[in-house]
Amino acid sequence: EGDLRAWLFSILYRQFLDVEYAPETGLTLAELKREVGACLRDHAHEPRVLRKARVFALILTRGQIAIDPRDWFVDKLNHGHLLRKLVNDAWREEAAAGPIATEASWFENSFRIGLAKSGLDTGHISPGWERMFAGGLAGLIEEAARERAALGDGITAEQAAFYDAVEIVYRAAIALAGRFAALARQMIGDYPEHAERLRAIAETCERVPACSPQTFHQALQFHWLMHELVELEGELVRSAGHFDRVFYPYYRADLDAGRLTREQAIELIQFFWFKHFARTRGKDNGKNFVLGGQDGLGRDATNELTWVALDAYEGLHTPDPKLSVRYFPGSPDRLYTRVADLIRQGYNAFVLMNDEPAIEALVQRGKTIEDARLYLPIGCYEPAVDGKEAGCTMNLTLNLAKAVEYALHDGMDVLSGQQIGPHTGDPCAFTTYEQIRDAYFTQLDFLLTRSVNYIAAHERQWPNINPSPLIAGTIADCLARGKDIGQGGPHYNSVGCVGAGLANAADSLLALKKAVYEERRYTMADILAALDRDFEGGEAMRQYLINRTPKWGNGHAEADALAKEIADHYCALVHSFTNARGGA
């Protein structure tokens, strides 16, 4: 294990930085960029989902490719992030300067003044991994054709464009795999010492992603190639799926057929996971794989591959991927002790999740119990339903404490001098704590409501900013409805509204309650004057507010009750909204 890890770091750690593409394998990046520009011009009259699909296909079929004969997996395509640049540098900016100029300007200003971070989140989605594996991309093409035919004469031009785009991108992905297979076979003569690996790569790419995988290696290659293509398309794969549950059938079949040993499986997993680490180089949030938990029927999902995966991870010593381990009352004690031992040794890229409250929360938000049991932590650890939900959890991060500032200044943002919130009155005229508390909630309600409305405006532009047929085609409801992700195609469409600074908001209000209205140590005018001069000459007041008023998180009942009141108020308002994709 130590030798393999050292070899991976010495040879494959820089694999995405120093790629040598053979000229004969396709167009140079400069040539490809010109072809992309011509493609966009030639199809300027078409819906954007089709234009993007055609560019995607052009890149996959004409771009240069490369294979490292020392690796078990292929992925090297000289695409220059052309699709992401199209989405982020052209279509997103075009929307921000046009249809959503007012809303985009609000969010830009909100970020500058510390009020909120917001915009269009298109990257908290998990592809339908099991659906992809079930019949391969050819199976999804057939499914799309069936769903299209079922719509009959009632199909809209928008739906027809979506189905066309799905077929285009999937056929392109299959063609790319064929190119890799052909190149691998060509390289066998040049690298006889790696002939076995190159032959395995060729045989794997001749089957996947076109067809369902039959072996563990094929399943891993299918997954990794689709990971790369989804991110090339312009999304971020924020969950790599339920590893032990999804991959176990292929691992078990290999063992039963004598095609694979446990040690060989560990090596494949280490190569596979090291790809994710080499791709991020430890700089991003980490790729999230799930272990343990339960299946849709509530049965323990832990199996032999769980332990194999943990053994493989122990041999890597890398911060990526990130392993989320789900626990429920039926989880084996061995899972607790094995993960605890790894954490004790310093493997700190684990996320531990409690199934019972996570599943209960999802059911309360409208998920079926069967769907809720199949949740994945998407992104960091936000639970969303595997393959059915577009859980855009980072559309908004709102500063809860900013509403305190606005309540103290009649809606004025002090540092910028802008009137942001509504007029709630001069706080020096308030005679009770309830008045400042009510002013706070009025300001908070305004800020949240405006932000959510402006998010909805961004979401209505999603189909024009980032059409995503590759990932949408892996979601059953998208194919059934003929709708892309941004059009509300998935079964569940949610928006996340993060409330940050809860402790600051609660502590500030409670300090005002104690200092001004209960103990009457200071007047509201005294505190506002001290804030204006950043407590210069008011150290006694600053120390009193820091050390003599209750703080949330210290077991103080009144502080806890106030923090809960703020959180409950905020969540109730969030849950009252419907987003632009028809979800909550």
Side-chain angles (χ1 to χ4, degrees), residues 202-380:
E203 292 172 355
T204 294
C205 290
E206 286 164 353
R207 179 162 186 91
V208 298
C211 304
S212 59
Q214 294 178 321
T215 69
F216 190 51
H217 183 205
Q218 289 173 4
L220 293 173
Q221 175 65 76
F222 194 146
H223 188 289
W224 175 246
L225 186 60
M226 289 302 292
H227 170 278
E228 291 293 276
L229 295 184
V230 168
E231 298 217 333
L232 181 154
E233 187 187 40
E235 294 78 52
L236 294 175
V237 178
R238 300 310 298 268
S239 176
H242 205 147
F243 185 84
D244 44 3
R245 182 172 60 80
V246 171
F247 286 99
Y248 177 73
Y250 310 102
Y251 167 78
R252 185 71 260 166
D254 277 0
L255 257 61
D256 291 344
R259 292 188 294 259
L260 191 73
T261 66
R262 190 180 192 276
E263 291 68 31
Q264 289 171 328
I266 287 176
E267 179 178 326
L268 281 175
I269 294 171
Q270 290 181 328
F271 269 78
F272 175 64
W273 278 348
F274 197 84
K275 303 287 286 187
H276 294 83
F277 176 56
R279 173 60 83 190
T280 66
R281 299 174 67 81
K283 295 179 181 178
D284 293 330
N285 292 329
K287 198 60 60 177
N288 206 325
F289 286 89
V290 179
L291 299 174
Q294 53 196 294
D295 64 13
L297 298 177
R299 300 172 300 194
D300 178 29
T302 307
N303 56 50
E304 184 181 349
L305 187 57
T306 310
W307 319 118
V308 173
L310 290 172
D311 288 351
Y313 191 68
E314 184 175 17
L316 277 180
H317 295 275
T318 58
D320 198 10
K322 176 168 59 180
L323 299 188
S324 292
V325 186
R326 287 177 43 185
Y327 293 99
F328 77 115
S331 297
D333 290 343
R334 180 185 176 190
L335 186 62
Y336 289 89
T337 56
R338 180 71 175 106
V339 172
D341 183 61
L342 286 169
I343 294 173
R344 180 185 61 81
Q345 295 180 53
Y347 295 86
N348 56 5
F350 281 98
V351 172
L352 309 182
M353 306 196 70
N354 187 343
D355 269 10
E356 287 194 305
I359 291 171
E360 180 184 356
L362 289 171
V363 171
Q364 287 181 1
R365 298 307 305 150
K367 275 73 171 181
T368 66
I369 183 65
E370 294 79 12
D371 284 347
R373 287 177 180 141
L374 295 177
Y375 80 89
L376 296 172
I378 304 245
C380 299

Side-chain angles (χ1 to χ4, degrees), residues 367-417:
K367 275 73 171 181
T368 66
I369 183 65
E370 294 79 12
D371 284 347
R373 287 177 180 141
L374 295 177
Y375 80 89
L376 296 172
I378 304 245
C380 299
Y381 30 73
E382 306 97 290
V385 179
D386 183 12
K388 287 190 174 184
E389 182 169 7
C392 302
T393 52
M394 292 303 296
N395 267 302
L396 173 67
T397 301
L398 186 69
N399 182 356
L400 299 177
K402 199 70 172 176
V404 177
E405 176 188 330
Y406 293 168
L408 291 176
H409 296 90
D410 195 24
M412 175 73 71
D413 186 87
V414 180
L415 294 180
S416 68

Side-chain angles (χ1 to χ4, degrees), residues 39-40 43-57 83 86-87 91 156-169 233 235 462-473 482-487:
C39 179
L40 289 169
H43 297 278
H45 62 286
E46 291 185 336
R48 282 193 174 171
V49 66
L50 264 178
R51 297 178 72 200
K52 188 177 180 185
R54 296 192 192 285
V55 171
F56 181 90
L83 272 174
L86 174 64
V87 169
W91 291 349
T156 66
E158 192 175 62
Q159 290 171 317
F162 171 72
Y163 287 123
D164 286 343
V166 167
E167 181 172 357
I168 289 170
V169 296
E233 187 187 40
E235 294 78 52
W462 188 341
N464 293 321
I465 293 173
N466 189 43
S468 46
L470 186 79
I471 190 172
K483 289 186 175 183
D484 205 343
I485 298 287
Q487 296 171 319

Side-chain angles (χ1 to χ4, degrees), residues 519-541:
E519 297 182 6
R520 300 189 182 277
R521 181 181 292 263
Y522 302 105
T523 66
M524 183 67 77
D526 292 336
I527 290 180
L528 290 176
L531 289 172
D532 286 343
R533 60 176 186 269
D534 198 19
F535 289 98
E536 183 178 344
E539 183 62 15
M541 178 192 291

